[in-house]
């Protein structure tokens, strides 16, 4: 089967991370896979990961904005050449649907809904615009049960099913750690809390910095993601300076060795205001480290009952949890074992088979 993935860009993000796992797995299953980004980004870390695994990546334009309607016409030749087109994120999902209408081709299109919420849902007119777009798709895939629930509440007539995001569990479970000296130039007795996320709404890295300011000097924060040019990263750097903890807050930017970084940490954190189904949370659990996350949609469903949850934005509650992990080894090990067991249920090979089942429903003669 010829599978076309269409996405805004292949910079850092949850949907992009899913493709880095899913597309190579689909290729290993014997399919011809192309990842098509609407806009080429400066950071090619994830693109290089795909290419290293033999997955072709093309860019529609090196300079055109992802919001430019001309993307519709650029997509048409690709739609005609593939057996199924799978769109990710807004506005790529808009342009894909409109491209199919414009060319009248029979290629089935599928889109993945990656979040429990988005800013368009705060604007009444988009309920109808989004509804029109979603109804052009043969299937909408929700990346988590909570995403399915919130989607169906808004678009009850749209055909939508839930398939969880996934990762290659073994890659994180078996990663070789760095020493803490190698990672961020600190002694081995320091307690490192790591968060992997872009520096954009709704990630809330500020909560971790505030928690670090409430804790003894042995506690350090490590942020993976973003670049020095990002305004969000610069705000967090300034906050660390203001709170007097700049020496204990480390920024590693975008890295290709995330499994090793997670394995080198003491605790993994996700402090978002909401998520779809966070791949970073699954990666953290698979690394054999305890996971702490905010008690919000998209994280609660993954973490509840195995890791620890705290109220979004509550730095004091986070600091209390970190202190408990640092002082109670029995509790620490118990949470690690629970997290590892939960991570196994999100293996990318299982996820790829579920996606294949949906593709086959519309391309039965190409199984």
């Amino acid at each position: 089967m010829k599978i076309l993935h269409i996405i805004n860009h292949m910079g850092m993000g949850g949907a992009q991370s899913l493709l880095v796992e899913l597309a190579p797995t689909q290729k290993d299953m014997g399919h011809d896979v192309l990842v098509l980004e609407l806009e080429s980004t400066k950071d090619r870390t994830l693109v290089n990961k795909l290419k290293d695994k033999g997955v072709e990546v093309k860019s529609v334009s090196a300079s055109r904005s992802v919001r430019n309607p001309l993307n519709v016409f650029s997509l048409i030749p690709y739609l005609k050449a593939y057996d199924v087109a799978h769109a990710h994120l807004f506005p790529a999902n808009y342009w894909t649907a409109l491209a199919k209408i414009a060319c009248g081709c029979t290629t089935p299109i599928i889109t993945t809904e990656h979040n429990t919420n988005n800013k368009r849902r705060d604007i009444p007119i988009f309920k109808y615009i989004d509804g029109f777009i979603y109804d052009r798709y043969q299937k909408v895939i929700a990346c988590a049960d909570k995403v399915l629930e919130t989607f169906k509440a808004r678009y009850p007539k749209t055909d939508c099913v839930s398939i969880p995001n996934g990762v290659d569990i073994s890659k994180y479970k078996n990663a070789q750690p760095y020493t803490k000296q190698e990672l961020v130039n600190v002694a081995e007795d320091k307690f490192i809390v790591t968060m992997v996320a872009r520096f954009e709404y709704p990630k809330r890295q500020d909560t971790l910095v505030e928690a670090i300011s409430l804790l003894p000097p042995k506690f350090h924060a490590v942020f993976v993601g973003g670049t020095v040019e990002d305004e969000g990263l610069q705000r967090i750097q300034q906050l660390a300076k203001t709170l007097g903890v700049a020496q204990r807050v480390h920024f590693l930017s975008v890295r290709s060795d995330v499994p090793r970084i997670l394995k080198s940490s003491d605790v993994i954190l996700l402090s978002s205001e909401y998520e779809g189904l966070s791949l970073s949370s699954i990666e953290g659990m698979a690394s054999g480290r305890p996971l702490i996350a905010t008690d919000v949609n998209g994280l609660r469903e993954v973490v509840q009952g195995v890791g620890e949850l705290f109220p979004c934005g509550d730095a004091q509650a986070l600091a209390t949890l970190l202190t408990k992990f640092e002082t109670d080894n029995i509790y620490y090990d118990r949470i690690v074992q629970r997290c590892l067991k939960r991570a196994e249920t999100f293996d990318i090979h299982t996820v790829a088979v579920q996606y294949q089942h949906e593709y086959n429903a519309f391309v039965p003669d190409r199984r």
Side-chain angles (χ1 to χ4, degrees), residues 179-190:
T179 66
K180 292 177 180 177
Q181 182 75 32
E182 291 172 328
L183 185 65
V184 288
N185 196 30
V186 299
E188 289 301 307
D189 65 345
K190 302 303 183 185

Side-chain angles (χ1 to χ4, degrees), residues 184 193-197 199 204-210 212 221-226 233 236-237 240 248-255 261 269 271:
V184 288
V193 186
T194 295
M195 180 170 175
V196 181
F199 282 83
R204 293 298 304 272
Q205 285 93 342
D206 59 297
T207 308
L208 176 54
V209 176
E210 292 171 2
I212 291 295
V222 169
F223 293 111
V224 182
L233 187 149
I236 298 303
Q237 285 180 319
R248 295 196 281 138
V249 179
H250 311 272
F251 299 86
L252 303 188
S253 298
V254 177
R255 296 282 290 259
I261 294 172
L269 172 73
S271 57

Side-chain angles (χ1 to χ4, degrees), residues 50-70:
L50 284 171
K51 291 182 176 180
D52 288 345
K53 296 177 181 179
V55 176
E56 185 179 10
V57 181
K58 289 185 178 180
S59 300
V60 169
S61 173
S63 58
R64 185 191 304 157
S65 166
V66 296
R67 295 178 181 270
N68 191 320
L70 290 176

Side-chain angles (χ1 to χ4, degrees), residues 17 33 124 132 184 209 281 311 336 365:
S17 296
V33 183
F132 173 82
V184 288
V209 176
S281 65
V336 165
D365 58 330

Side-chain angles (χ1 to χ4, degrees), residues 136-271:
R136 309 283 74 80
Y137 282 89
Q138 274 64 48
K139 185 77 73 172
V140 177
I141 309 294
C143 72
D145 289 341
K146 192 64 179 182
V147 176
L148 176 64
E149 178 185 325
T150 58
F151 183 88
K152 293 298 286 185
R154 189 169 179 85
Y155 311 106
K157 296 182 180 180
T158 299
D159 190 0
C160 185
V161 298
S162 176
I163 297 178
N165 286 347
V167 302
D168 184 351
I169 299 302
S170 63
K171 179 171 62 178
Y172 294 87
K173 188 175 182 179
N174 301 325
Q176 293 301 308
Y178 295 108
T179 66
K180 292 177 180 177
Q181 182 75 32
E182 291 172 328
L183 185 65
V184 288
N185 196 30
V186 299
E188 289 301 307
D189 65 345
K190 302 303 183 185
F191 194 89
I192 291 180
V193 186
T194 295
M195 180 170 175
V196 181
R198 63 189 185 275
F199 282 83
E200 298 176 4
Y201 175 82
K203 300 304 180 181
R204 293 298 304 272
Q205 285 93 342
D206 59 297
T207 308
L208 176 54
V209 176
E210 292 171 2
I212 291 295
S213 73
L214 301 173
L215 290 164
K218 76 174 301 180
F219 287 85
H220 285 245
V222 169
F223 293 111
V224 182
T227 66
V228 293
E229 294 85 9
D230 290 348
E231 291 183 4
L233 187 149
Q234 292 170 9
R235 284 195 297 271
I236 298 303
Q237 285 180 319
Q238 184 57 51
L239 176 63
K241 292 177 181 177
T242 300
L243 295 178
V245 292
Q247 298 302 313
R248 295 196 281 138
V249 179
H250 311 272
F251 299 86
L252 303 188
S253 298
V254 177
R255 296 282 290 259
S256 60
D257 55 348
V258 170
R260 295 191 67 186
I261 294 172
L262 295 177
K263 202 79 170 182
S264 311
S265 308
D266 294 293
V267 167
I268 312 304
L269 172 73
L270 272 301
S271 57

Side-chain angles (χ1 to χ4, degrees), residues 199-359:
F199 282 83
E200 298 176 4
Y201 175 82
K203 300 304 180 181
R204 293 298 304 272
Q205 285 93 342
D206 59 297
T207 308
L208 176 54
V209 176
E210 292 171 2
I212 291 295
S213 73
L214 301 173
L215 290 164
K218 76 174 301 180
F219 287 85
H220 285 245
V222 169
F223 293 111
V224 182
T227 66
V228 293
E229 294 85 9
D230 290 348
E231 291 183 4
L233 187 149
Q234 292 170 9
R235 284 195 297 271
I236 298 303
Q237 285 180 319
Q238 184 57 51
L239 176 63
K241 292 177 181 177
T242 300
L243 295 178
V245 292
Q247 298 302 313
R248 295 196 281 138
V249 179
H250 311 272
F251 299 86
L252 303 188
S253 298
V254 177
R255 296 282 290 259
S256 60
D257 55 348
V258 170
R260 295 191 67 186
I261 294 172
L262 295 177
K263 202 79 170 182
S264 311
S265 308
D266 294 293
V267 167
I268 312 304
L269 172 73
L270 272 301
S271 57
S272 307
E273 291 191 4
Y274 64 81
E275 290 281 352
L277 190 151
S278 168
L279 284 175
S280 292
S281 65
I282 300 169
E283 293 165 357
M285 291 189 293
S287 71
R289 298 295 180 263
L291 178 69
I292 301 176
T294 40
D295 189 7
V296 299
N297 286 343
L299 288 172
R300 181 185 307 115
E301 293 74 23
V302 177
V303 181
Q304 194 165 44
V306 293
E308 286 287 6
L309 296 168
F310 73 100
C312 184
D314 191 337
Q316 182 60 67
L318 174 57
T320 299
L321 283 172
L322 292 174
T323 299
K324 187 173 183 180
F325 276 116
E326 195 273 329
T327 56
D328 191 336
N329 292 334
I330 295 175
Y331 163 75
Y332 184 102
D333 291 339
R334 182 170 69 247
I335 297 300
V336 165
Q337 293 306 312
R338 290 177 179 177
C339 287
L340 283 169
K341 186 175 181 179
R342 175 65 60 85
E344 294 288 349
T345 65
F346 294 98
D347 187 77
I348 190 60
H349 300 89
T350 302
V351 172
V353 169
Q354 292 178 277
Y355 269 113
Q356 190 62 42
H357 175 75
E358 296 300 332
Y359 296 164

